[in-house]
Amino acid sequence: MTDTRIAFVHGRRVWDSRGRPTLEADVLLEGGAVGRGMAPAGASTGSGEALDLRDGGTAFGGYDVTRAVANVNGAITRALVGLDAADQAAVDARLIEADGTANKSRLGANALTAVSMAVAHAAAGAAGEPLYRHLGGPDAATMPLPQIQIFGGGAHAGRRVDIQDFLVVCPAAASFAQALDWTAEVYRAAGTLMAEAGTSAGVADEGGWWPSFATNEQALETLVRAIERAGLKPGAQVAIALDIAASEFGRGGHYTLGLESRALDSDGMIRMLAGWVDAYPIVSIEDPLAEDDAAGFAAFTAELGHRIQIVGDDFLVSDAARVRAAAAQGAANTVLLKPNQRGTLSETRAAWNAAKDAGFAAIVSARSGETEDTTIVHLAVGWGVGQLKVGSFARGERMAKWNEALRIEEVLGARARFAGGAALRRGTAG
Ligand code: PGA
Ligand code: ZN
Protein backbone atom coordinates (compact mmCIF):
# COMPACT_ATOMS: atom_id res chain seq x y z
CA MET A 1 0.00 0.00 0.00
CA THR A 2 1.46 3.33 -1.03
CA ASP A 3 1.25 6.55 0.96
CA THR A 4 -2.35 7.78 0.60
CA ARG A 5 -1.94 11.18 2.20
CA ILE A 6 -3.12 14.03 -0.02
CA ALA A 7 -0.12 15.93 -1.38
CA PHE A 8 -1.76 18.35 -3.77
CA VAL A 9 -5.14 19.39 -5.15
CA HIS A 10 -5.58 21.29 -8.39
CA GLY A 11 -8.72 22.76 -9.95
CA ARG A 12 -9.16 23.98 -13.50
CA ARG A 13 -11.96 25.20 -15.74
CA VAL A 14 -13.09 22.81 -18.49
CA TRP A 15 -16.32 22.65 -20.55
CA ASP A 16 -19.45 20.59 -20.14
CA SER A 17 -21.82 18.92 -22.62
CA ARG A 18 -23.83 22.15 -23.06
CA GLY A 19 -20.66 24.11 -23.86
CA ARG A 20 -20.76 25.82 -20.47
CA PRO A 21 -17.80 26.16 -18.12
CA THR A 22 -17.44 23.53 -15.45
CA LEU A 23 -14.86 22.54 -12.89
CA GLU A 24 -12.39 19.66 -12.91
CA ALA A 25 -10.26 18.69 -9.91
CA ASP A 26 -7.08 16.59 -9.79
CA VAL A 27 -5.83 15.09 -6.54
CA LEU A 28 -2.25 13.83 -6.11
CA LEU A 29 -1.29 11.55 -3.23
CA GLU A 30 2.12 11.34 -1.54
CA GLY A 31 2.62 7.85 -2.95
CA GLY A 32 2.07 9.11 -6.50
CA ALA A 33 -1.52 8.01 -7.12
CA VAL A 34 -3.75 10.54 -8.88
CA GLY A 35 -7.50 10.97 -9.19
CA ARG A 36 -9.78 13.26 -11.17
CA GLY A 37 -13.39 14.38 -10.85
CA MET A 38 -15.53 16.68 -13.00
CA ALA A 39 -18.62 18.54 -11.80
CA PRO A 40 -21.90 18.06 -13.68
CA ALA A 41 -24.71 20.65 -13.68
CA GLY A 42 -28.50 20.49 -13.68
CA ALA A 43 -30.99 22.62 -15.59
CA SER A 44 -34.17 21.59 -13.77
CA THR A 45 -32.67 21.87 -10.31
CA GLY A 46 -34.49 21.39 -7.02
CA SER A 47 -34.54 24.40 -4.69
CA GLY A 48 -33.12 22.19 -1.91
CA GLU A 49 -29.94 21.38 -3.84
CA ALA A 50 -26.51 22.47 -2.70
CA LEU A 51 -25.36 25.56 -4.58
CA ASP A 52 -23.62 25.30 -7.93
CA LEU A 53 -21.30 28.31 -7.57
CA ARG A 54 -21.15 30.49 -10.71
CA ASP A 55 -19.51 33.85 -11.27
CA GLY A 56 -22.57 35.65 -12.62
CA GLY A 57 -21.97 38.69 -14.81
CA THR A 58 -21.99 38.57 -18.59
CA ALA A 59 -19.20 36.18 -19.59
CA PHE A 60 -20.54 32.81 -20.76
CA GLY A 61 -24.03 33.78 -19.66
CA GLY A 62 -22.90 34.13 -16.06
CA TYR A 63 -21.93 30.43 -15.89
CA ASP A 64 -18.18 30.90 -15.42
CA VAL A 65 -16.58 29.08 -12.49
CA THR A 66 -13.44 31.10 -11.74
CA ARG A 67 -14.51 31.58 -8.12
CA ALA A 68 -15.14 27.87 -7.62
CA VAL A 69 -11.78 27.02 -9.27
CA ALA A 70 -10.05 29.53 -6.99
CA ASN A 71 -11.72 27.86 -4.00
CA VAL A 72 -10.28 24.48 -5.04
CA ASN A 73 -6.82 25.93 -5.45
CA GLY A 74 -7.06 27.93 -2.22
CA ALA A 75 -9.27 27.01 0.72
CA ILE A 76 -9.94 23.41 -0.35
CA THR A 77 -6.29 22.60 -1.01
CA ARG A 78 -5.31 24.07 2.36
CA ALA A 79 -8.03 22.06 4.09
CA LEU A 80 -7.14 18.71 2.52
CA VAL A 81 -3.36 18.52 2.20
CA GLY A 82 -2.05 15.86 4.60
CA LEU A 83 -5.42 14.08 5.05
CA ASP A 84 -5.68 10.38 4.25
CA ALA A 85 -7.50 9.97 0.92
CA ALA A 86 -8.41 6.41 1.89
CA ASP A 87 -10.69 7.86 4.60
CA GLN A 88 -13.40 9.34 2.35
CA ALA A 89 -15.67 10.14 5.31
CA ALA A 90 -12.98 12.20 7.01
CA VAL A 91 -12.11 14.01 3.77
CA ASP A 92 -15.75 14.83 3.08
CA ALA A 93 -16.27 15.96 6.68
CA ARG A 94 -13.34 18.35 6.25
CA LEU A 95 -14.81 19.67 3.01
CA ILE A 96 -18.16 20.29 4.71
CA GLU A 97 -16.42 21.99 7.62
CA ALA A 98 -14.27 24.18 5.35
CA ASP A 99 -17.39 25.32 3.50
CA GLY A 100 -19.31 25.90 6.69
CA THR A 101 -22.72 26.63 5.13
CA ALA A 102 -25.87 24.51 4.97
CA ASN A 103 -26.02 24.63 1.16
CA LYS A 104 -22.29 24.71 0.23
CA SER A 105 -22.66 28.30 -0.94
CA ARG A 106 -19.24 29.47 0.27
CA LEU A 107 -16.97 27.08 -1.63
CA GLY A 108 -19.57 25.77 -4.11
CA ALA A 109 -21.04 22.28 -4.46
CA ASN A 110 -19.42 22.05 -7.90
CA ALA A 111 -15.98 22.54 -6.32
CA LEU A 112 -16.72 20.07 -3.52
CA THR A 113 -18.24 17.42 -5.79
CA ALA A 114 -15.30 17.38 -8.20
CA VAL A 115 -12.80 17.18 -5.32
CA SER A 116 -14.75 14.53 -3.39
CA MET A 117 -14.86 12.33 -6.52
CA ALA A 118 -11.18 12.98 -7.32
CA VAL A 119 -10.18 11.87 -3.81
CA ALA A 120 -12.13 8.62 -4.22
CA HIS A 121 -10.40 7.92 -7.55
CA ALA A 122 -6.98 8.67 -6.08
CA ALA A 123 -7.60 6.31 -3.15
CA ALA A 124 -8.78 3.57 -5.52
CA GLY A 125 -5.73 4.14 -7.69
CA ALA A 126 -3.42 3.85 -4.68
CA ALA A 127 -5.08 0.55 -3.81
CA GLY A 128 -4.65 -0.61 -7.40
CA GLU A 129 -8.38 -1.19 -7.77
CA PRO A 130 -11.12 0.13 -10.04
CA LEU A 131 -13.32 2.55 -8.08
CA TYR A 132 -16.40 0.31 -7.94
CA ARG A 133 -14.37 -2.42 -6.30
CA HIS A 134 -12.65 -0.01 -3.96
CA LEU A 135 -16.07 1.22 -2.81
CA GLY A 136 -17.85 -2.11 -2.67
CA GLY A 137 -15.18 -4.72 -2.13
CA PRO A 138 -15.06 -8.07 -3.92
CA ASP A 139 -18.83 -8.54 -3.53
CA ALA A 140 -19.67 -5.49 -5.66
CA ALA A 141 -20.99 -7.34 -8.70
CA THR A 142 -24.54 -6.04 -9.25
CA MET A 143 -24.94 -4.32 -12.61
CA PRO A 144 -27.68 -1.65 -12.45
CA LEU A 145 -30.89 -1.60 -14.46
CA PRO A 146 -30.40 1.32 -16.86
CA GLN A 147 -33.15 3.94 -17.34
CA ILE A 148 -32.54 5.40 -20.79
CA GLN A 149 -34.21 8.45 -22.29
CA ILE A 150 -35.83 8.18 -25.73
CA PHE A 151 -37.50 11.62 -25.93
CA GLY A 152 -36.34 14.74 -24.10
CA GLY A 153 -38.71 17.50 -23.10
CA GLY A 154 -39.30 20.13 -20.47
CA ALA A 155 -36.33 22.34 -19.62
CA HIS A 156 -34.07 20.11 -21.75
CA ALA A 157 -35.93 20.70 -25.03
CA GLY A 158 -37.25 24.25 -25.05
CA ARG A 159 -40.35 23.04 -23.15
CA ARG A 160 -41.61 21.60 -26.42
CA VAL A 161 -43.48 18.98 -24.39
CA ASP A 162 -44.14 19.46 -20.66
CA ILE A 163 -42.87 16.07 -19.49
CA GLN A 164 -39.07 16.11 -19.20
CA ASP A 165 -38.01 12.50 -19.79
CA PHE A 166 -39.68 9.66 -21.66
CA LEU A 167 -37.43 6.70 -20.83
CA VAL A 168 -37.27 2.95 -21.23
CA VAL A 169 -36.11 0.17 -18.93
CA CYS A 170 -35.52 -3.43 -19.97
CA PRO A 171 -36.62 -5.52 -16.97
CA ALA A 172 -36.37 -8.82 -18.85
CA ALA A 173 -32.89 -8.31 -20.32
CA ALA A 174 -30.39 -10.96 -19.26
CA SER A 175 -27.51 -8.54 -18.78
CA PHE A 176 -26.63 -4.86 -18.78
CA ALA A 177 -25.18 -5.33 -22.26
CA GLN A 178 -28.43 -6.82 -23.54
CA ALA A 179 -30.42 -3.96 -22.00
CA LEU A 180 -28.28 -1.59 -24.08
CA ASP A 181 -28.78 -3.72 -27.21
CA TRP A 182 -32.55 -3.54 -26.83
CA THR A 183 -32.50 0.17 -26.01
CA ALA A 184 -30.35 0.90 -29.08
CA GLU A 185 -33.02 -0.73 -31.26
CA VAL A 186 -35.84 1.21 -29.56
CA TYR A 187 -33.96 4.50 -29.85
CA ARG A 188 -33.36 3.88 -33.54
CA ALA A 189 -36.96 2.82 -34.16
CA ALA A 190 -38.24 5.93 -32.39
CA GLY A 191 -36.06 8.09 -34.62
CA THR A 192 -37.36 6.36 -37.73
CA LEU A 193 -40.99 6.73 -36.63
CA MET A 194 -40.49 10.42 -35.93
CA ALA A 195 -38.71 11.03 -39.23
CA GLU A 196 -41.63 9.40 -41.02
CA ALA A 197 -44.19 11.47 -39.11
CA GLY A 198 -42.18 14.70 -39.23
CA THR A 199 -42.21 14.92 -35.43
CA SER A 200 -38.49 15.13 -34.68
CA ALA A 201 -36.34 18.24 -34.49
CA GLY A 202 -32.90 16.90 -33.54
CA VAL A 203 -31.79 15.82 -30.08
CA ALA A 204 -32.35 17.39 -26.66
CA ASP A 205 -29.83 18.14 -23.88
CA GLU A 206 -29.47 14.51 -22.78
CA GLY A 207 -29.43 13.05 -26.30
CA GLY A 208 -33.10 11.98 -26.53
CA TRP A 209 -35.07 12.90 -29.63
CA TRP A 210 -36.35 16.49 -29.44
CA PRO A 211 -40.02 15.87 -30.16
CA SER A 212 -42.63 18.06 -31.76
CA PHE A 213 -45.70 16.19 -30.60
CA ALA A 214 -49.18 17.71 -30.35
CA THR A 215 -49.81 16.26 -26.87
CA ASN A 216 -47.78 14.69 -24.06
CA GLU A 217 -49.67 11.46 -24.60
CA GLN A 218 -48.58 11.30 -28.24
CA ALA A 219 -45.06 10.78 -26.90
CA LEU A 220 -46.27 7.76 -24.91
CA GLU A 221 -48.07 6.29 -27.92
CA THR A 222 -45.01 6.80 -30.12
CA LEU A 223 -42.80 5.17 -27.50
CA VAL A 224 -44.98 2.04 -27.39
CA ARG A 225 -44.92 1.85 -31.19
CA ALA A 226 -41.13 2.27 -31.19
CA ILE A 227 -40.75 -0.68 -28.78
CA GLU A 228 -42.96 -2.80 -31.05
CA ARG A 229 -41.15 -1.68 -34.20
CA ALA A 230 -37.88 -2.73 -32.57
CA GLY A 231 -39.34 -6.24 -32.37
CA LEU A 232 -39.72 -6.14 -28.57
CA LYS A 233 -42.72 -6.61 -26.28
CA PRO A 234 -43.91 -3.43 -24.51
CA GLY A 235 -44.17 -4.09 -20.79
CA ALA A 236 -42.74 -7.59 -20.60
CA GLN A 237 -39.44 -6.83 -22.29
CA VAL A 238 -39.25 -3.05 -22.47
CA ALA A 239 -41.22 -0.83 -20.11
CA ILE A 240 -41.66 2.93 -19.78
CA ALA A 241 -40.30 5.25 -17.10
CA LEU A 242 -41.18 8.95 -16.90
CA ASP A 243 -39.55 11.94 -15.27
CA ILE A 244 -42.37 14.48 -15.07
CA ALA A 245 -40.07 17.09 -13.42
CA ALA A 246 -43.31 18.71 -12.24
CA SER A 247 -41.52 21.44 -10.27
CA GLU A 248 -40.83 23.03 -13.66
CA PHE A 249 -44.53 23.69 -14.30
CA GLY A 250 -46.18 23.41 -10.89
CA ARG A 251 -46.16 25.31 -7.62
CA GLY A 252 -48.53 25.67 -4.71
CA GLY A 253 -50.68 22.79 -5.95
CA HIS A 254 -51.29 24.40 -9.35
CA TYR A 255 -49.92 22.85 -12.53
CA THR A 256 -49.95 24.25 -16.07
CA LEU A 257 -49.36 21.95 -19.03
CA GLY A 258 -48.28 24.44 -21.68
CA LEU A 259 -48.48 22.08 -24.66
CA GLU A 260 -52.14 21.31 -24.04
CA SER A 261 -53.06 24.63 -22.40
CA ARG A 262 -54.37 22.70 -19.40
CA ALA A 263 -54.43 23.88 -15.79
CA LEU A 264 -54.61 21.12 -13.17
CA ASP A 265 -54.55 20.91 -9.38
CA SER A 266 -52.68 18.13 -7.54
CA ASP A 267 -55.61 15.77 -7.81
CA GLY A 268 -55.93 16.51 -11.52
CA MET A 269 -52.25 15.63 -12.00
CA ILE A 270 -52.73 12.39 -10.07
CA ARG A 271 -55.81 11.50 -12.14
CA MET A 272 -53.96 12.19 -15.40
CA LEU A 273 -50.89 10.14 -14.41
CA ALA A 274 -52.99 7.29 -12.99
CA GLY A 275 -54.78 7.18 -16.35
CA TRP A 276 -51.44 6.90 -18.13
CA VAL A 277 -50.35 4.08 -15.79
CA ASP A 278 -53.56 2.23 -16.74
CA ALA A 279 -53.10 2.80 -20.47
CA TYR A 280 -49.35 2.36 -20.97
CA PRO A 281 -46.69 -0.05 -19.59
CA ILE A 282 -45.27 2.49 -17.12
CA VAL A 283 -43.19 1.11 -14.24
CA SER A 284 -41.59 4.25 -12.77
CA ILE A 285 -42.54 7.93 -12.42
CA GLU A 286 -40.12 10.57 -11.11
CA ASP A 287 -41.24 13.88 -9.61
CA PRO A 288 -44.92 13.36 -10.55
CA LEU A 289 -45.70 16.43 -8.45
CA ALA A 290 -43.77 19.55 -7.58
CA GLU A 291 -41.08 19.67 -4.90
CA ASP A 292 -43.38 21.74 -2.63
CA ASP A 293 -46.29 19.27 -2.92
CA ALA A 294 -45.52 16.65 -0.25
CA ALA A 295 -49.24 16.05 0.28
CA GLY A 296 -49.63 15.35 -3.44
CA PHE A 297 -46.67 12.96 -3.31
CA ALA A 298 -48.28 11.12 -0.40
CA ALA A 299 -51.65 10.90 -2.16
CA PHE A 300 -50.01 9.70 -5.37
CA THR A 301 -47.97 7.11 -3.46
CA ALA A 302 -51.03 5.87 -1.57
CA GLU A 303 -52.81 5.34 -4.87
CA LEU A 304 -50.01 4.00 -7.08
CA GLY A 305 -47.08 3.06 -4.83
CA HIS A 306 -48.10 -0.62 -4.90
CA ARG A 307 -47.95 -0.67 -8.71
CA ILE A 308 -45.09 1.58 -9.76
CA GLN A 309 -41.85 3.07 -8.56
CA ILE A 310 -42.31 6.70 -7.44
CA VAL A 311 -39.05 8.62 -7.49
CA GLY A 312 -38.16 11.82 -5.67
CA ASP A 313 -35.55 13.97 -7.43
CA ASP A 314 -36.23 17.69 -6.88
CA PHE A 315 -38.45 16.49 -4.03
CA LEU A 316 -35.67 14.69 -2.12
CA VAL A 317 -32.45 16.23 -3.56
CA SER A 318 -30.30 13.23 -2.49
CA ASP A 319 -30.78 14.26 1.12
CA ALA A 320 -30.89 11.60 3.87
CA ALA A 321 -33.11 13.70 6.16
CA ARG A 322 -35.62 14.32 3.39
CA VAL A 323 -35.67 10.61 2.53
CA ARG A 324 -36.50 9.79 6.17
CA ALA A 325 -39.20 12.47 6.30
CA ALA A 326 -40.76 11.29 3.03
CA ALA A 327 -40.76 7.69 4.23
CA ALA A 328 -42.54 8.76 7.42
CA GLN A 329 -45.20 10.50 5.32
CA GLY A 330 -45.52 7.67 2.79
CA ALA A 331 -44.45 10.12 0.07
CA ALA A 332 -42.50 8.46 -2.82
CA ASN A 333 -40.77 5.08 -2.52
CA THR A 334 -37.48 5.70 -4.34
CA VAL A 335 -34.77 8.37 -4.26
CA LEU A 336 -32.67 9.68 -7.14
CA LEU A 337 -29.00 10.02 -6.14
CA LYS A 338 -27.07 12.92 -7.72
CA PRO A 339 -23.80 13.65 -5.87
CA ASN A 340 -23.76 17.32 -6.82
CA GLN A 341 -27.16 17.88 -5.18
CA ARG A 342 -25.28 17.54 -1.88
CA GLY A 343 -21.61 18.17 -2.74
CA THR A 344 -19.84 15.11 -1.32
CA LEU A 345 -19.90 11.38 -1.95
CA SER A 346 -20.39 10.67 1.77
CA GLU A 347 -23.60 12.72 1.97
CA THR A 348 -24.89 11.04 -1.19
CA ARG A 349 -24.11 7.66 0.28
CA ALA A 350 -25.94 8.66 3.47
CA ALA A 351 -29.06 9.24 1.37
CA TRP A 352 -28.68 5.74 -0.08
CA ASN A 353 -28.29 4.29 3.42
CA ALA A 354 -31.40 6.18 4.55
CA ALA A 355 -33.25 4.80 1.53
CA LYS A 356 -32.31 1.23 2.38
CA ASP A 357 -33.40 1.73 6.00
CA ALA A 358 -36.75 3.11 4.80
CA GLY A 359 -37.37 0.36 2.26
CA PHE A 360 -36.89 2.81 -0.59
CA ALA A 361 -35.09 1.90 -3.80
CA ALA A 362 -32.58 4.31 -5.38
CA ILE A 363 -31.30 5.32 -8.79
CA VAL A 364 -27.87 6.85 -9.34
CA SER A 365 -28.30 9.70 -11.82
CA ALA A 366 -26.33 12.01 -14.08
CA ARG A 367 -27.30 15.67 -14.70
CA SER A 368 -28.49 17.27 -17.92
CA GLY A 369 -25.14 19.06 -18.08
CA GLU A 370 -22.48 16.34 -18.08
CA THR A 371 -18.88 15.55 -18.94
CA GLU A 372 -16.84 12.49 -19.86
CA ASP A 373 -16.55 11.70 -16.11
CA THR A 374 -17.84 8.20 -15.36
CA THR A 375 -17.67 8.21 -11.56
CA ILE A 376 -21.42 7.71 -11.12
CA VAL A 377 -21.26 4.33 -12.88
CA HIS A 378 -18.77 3.18 -10.25
CA LEU A 379 -20.99 4.50 -7.47
CA ALA A 380 -23.96 2.53 -8.82
CA VAL A 381 -21.99 -0.74 -8.95
CA GLY A 382 -19.81 -0.13 -5.88
CA TRP A 383 -22.71 0.81 -3.63
CA GLY A 384 -24.99 -1.86 -5.14
CA VAL A 385 -27.71 0.69 -5.88
CA GLY A 386 -29.38 -1.35 -8.64
CA GLN A 387 -30.47 1.41 -11.06
CA LEU A 388 -28.66 3.99 -13.20
CA LYS A 389 -30.04 6.94 -15.21
CA VAL A 390 -27.65 8.95 -17.37
CA GLY A 391 -29.80 10.35 -20.18
CA SER A 392 -30.24 8.97 -23.65
CA PHE A 393 -28.46 6.67 -26.07
CA ALA A 394 -26.56 9.37 -27.95
CA ARG A 395 -23.95 12.07 -27.25
CA GLY A 396 -20.49 11.23 -25.96
CA GLU A 397 -21.03 12.30 -22.35
CA ARG A 398 -23.93 9.82 -22.09
CA MET A 399 -22.26 6.98 -24.02
CA ALA A 400 -19.13 7.37 -21.85
CA LYS A 401 -21.20 6.13 -18.89
CA TRP A 402 -22.94 3.29 -20.72
CA ASN A 403 -19.63 2.15 -22.17
CA GLU A 404 -17.92 2.25 -18.77
CA ALA A 405 -20.69 0.02 -17.39
CA LEU A 406 -20.10 -2.42 -20.26
CA ARG A 407 -16.41 -2.59 -19.35
CA ILE A 408 -17.23 -3.27 -15.71
CA GLU A 409 -19.73 -6.00 -16.64
CA GLU A 410 -17.13 -7.62 -18.87
CA VAL A 411 -14.43 -7.52 -16.17
CA LEU A 412 -16.84 -9.00 -13.61
CA GLY A 413 -17.49 -11.82 -16.07
CA ALA A 414 -19.41 -14.73 -14.58
CA ARG A 415 -19.63 -12.91 -11.23
CA ALA A 416 -21.73 -10.09 -12.74
CA ARG A 417 -25.37 -10.12 -11.69
CA PHE A 418 -27.76 -7.91 -13.66
CA ALA A 419 -30.24 -6.24 -11.32
CA GLY A 420 -33.00 -6.37 -13.99
CA GLY A 421 -36.63 -5.70 -13.17
CA ALA A 422 -36.17 -6.80 -9.55
CA ALA A 423 -34.38 -3.49 -8.91
CA LEU A 424 -37.61 -1.56 -9.50
CA ARG A 425 -39.56 -0.67 -6.35
CA ARG A 426 -42.89 -2.30 -7.18
CA GLY A 427 -45.53 -4.55 -5.79
CA THR A 428 -45.24 -3.39 -2.21
CA ALA A 429 -47.26 -0.78 -0.38
CA GLY A 430 -45.92 2.74 -0.81
P1 PGA B 1 -31.28 18.09 -14.43
O1 PGA B 1 -32.25 16.97 -14.98
O2 PGA B 1 -29.91 17.54 -14.39
O3 PGA B 1 -31.46 19.22 -15.40
O4 PGA B 1 -31.81 18.44 -13.05
C1 PGA B 1 -32.15 15.62 -14.64
C2 PGA B 1 -33.37 15.16 -13.87
O5 PGA B 1 -34.31 15.94 -13.63
O6 PGA B 1 -33.44 13.99 -13.49
ZN1 ZN C 1 -35.55 14.45 -12.45
Side-chain angles (χ1 to χ4, degrees):
M1 190 76 174
T2 62
D3 189 342
T4 52
R5 281 174 303 150
I6 295 171
F8 193 64
V9 181
H10 180 68
R12 68 175 67 83
R13 187 183 79 191
V14 292
W15 300 90
D16 76 7
S17 58
R18 279 192 277 250
R20 290 179 187 165
T22 191
L23 184 148
E24 170 174 284
D26 289 350
V27 167
L28 171 69
L29 306 187
E30 291 290 352
V34 292
R36 171 171 294 165
M38 303 173 81
S44 62
T45 50
S47 56
E49 293 190 21
L51 184 89
D52 185 352
L53 184 65
R54 303 286 172 164
D55 291 0
T58 53
F60 311 126
Y63 286 107
D64 212 349
V65 291
T66 62
R67 287 193 294 154
V69 168
N71 290 341
V72 173
N73 293 325
I76 290 176
T77 299
R78 284 195 300 275
L80 295 194
V81 165
L83 286 195
D84 183 2
D87 189 349
Q88 185 79 36
V91 170
D92 288 340
R94 182 70 69 85
L95 287 171
I96 291 163
E97 183 194 326
D99 174 79
T101 68
N103 68 345
K104 317 296 194 307
S105 55
R106 195 172 89 81
L107 299 176
N110 42 353
L112 267 56
T113 302
V115 170
S116 184
M117 296 194 307
V119 167
H121 281 288
E129 294 173 329
L131 181 57
Y132 71 90
R133 188 181 164 110
H134 186 65
L135 294 170
D139 294 337
T142 301
M143 293 304 300
L145 178 73
Q147 253 192 33
I148 306 182
Q149 187 195 61
I150 304 298
F151 310 129
H156 302 161
R159 298 179 201 283
R160 188 56 191 73
V161 296
D162 301 286
I163 309 310
Q164 182 179 284
D165 295 326
F166 296 87
L167 313 105
V168 293
V169 296
C170 300
S175 64
F176 188 92
Q178 187 171 48
L180 292 194
D181 289 358
W182 290 2
T183 304
E185 297 288 15
V186 174
Y187 183 75
R188 229 162 56 82
T192 306
L193 280 174
M194 293 168 89
E196 286 169 4
T199 51
S200 172
V203 298
D205 280 13
E206 298 190 1
W209 302 110
W210 180 305
S212 58
F213 295 127
T215 62
N216 290 289
E217 228 178 313
Q218 199 187 348
L220 289 166
E221 286 160 12
T222 306
L223 191 45
V224 170
R225 281 197 288 127
I227 295 166
E228 288 167 348
R229 183 149 175 168
L232 294 155
K233 286 192 196 60
Q237 284 182 303
V238 183
I240 295 175
L242 300 174
D243 182 359
I244 309 297
S247 305
E248 291 292 307
F249 59 85
R251 180 183 293 241
H254 298 286
Y255 297 85
T256 309
L257 294 173
L259 179 57
E260 297 156 29
S261 303
R262 276 167 86 188
L264 297 170
D265 60 10
S266 299
D267 191 55
M269 280 292 289
I270 294 169
R271 298 269 66 76
M272 178 185 76
L273 296 174
W276 290 358
V277 170
D278 286 337
Y280 302 97
I282 295 169
V283 294
S284 179
I285 301 185
E286 180 176 326
D287 284 348
L289 296 145
E291 62 185 6
D292 67 355
D293 195 353
F297 259 94
F300 188 70
T301 306
E303 182 160 336
L304 288 165
H306 60 293
R307 289 173 64 189
I308 63 165
Q309 172 167 275
I310 299 167
V311 187
D313 172 15
D314 294 350
F315 178 55
L316 299 175
V317 289
S318 308
D319 182 58
R322 286 179 200 238
V323 170
R324 283 190 284 269
Q329 288 175 287
N333 59 29
T334 299
V335 59
L336 206 71
L337 299 174
K338 293 168 163 172
N340 81 323
Q341 286 184 327
R342 299 267 54 85
T344 65
L345 293 187
S346 298
E347 290 163 283
T348 312
R349 181 157 197 166
W352 167 224
N353 290 340
K356 281 190 280 189
D357 288 346
F360 275 34
I363 307 167
V364 173
S365 172
R367 302 307 306 244
S368 54
E370 268 294 334
T371 70
E372 60 270 34
D373 189 293
T374 61
T375 307
I376 56 168
V377 179
H378 290 262
L379 301 182
V381 179
W383 293 348
V385 174
Q387 299 183 65
L388 178 65
K389 178 188 182 216
V390 307
S392 192
F393 207 69
R395 299 182 53 140
E397 78 281 3
R398 313 290 149 187
M399 304 319 290
K401 275 80 161 170
W402 303 134
N403 289 337
E404 182 74 351
L406 284 181
R407 290 180 199 110
I408 293 172
E409 186 169 64
E410 188 190 82
V411 169
L412 288 169
R415 290 196 301 121
R417 195 183 67 78
F418 180 53
L424 293 161
R425 179 70 162 67
R426 275 192 300 174
T428 39

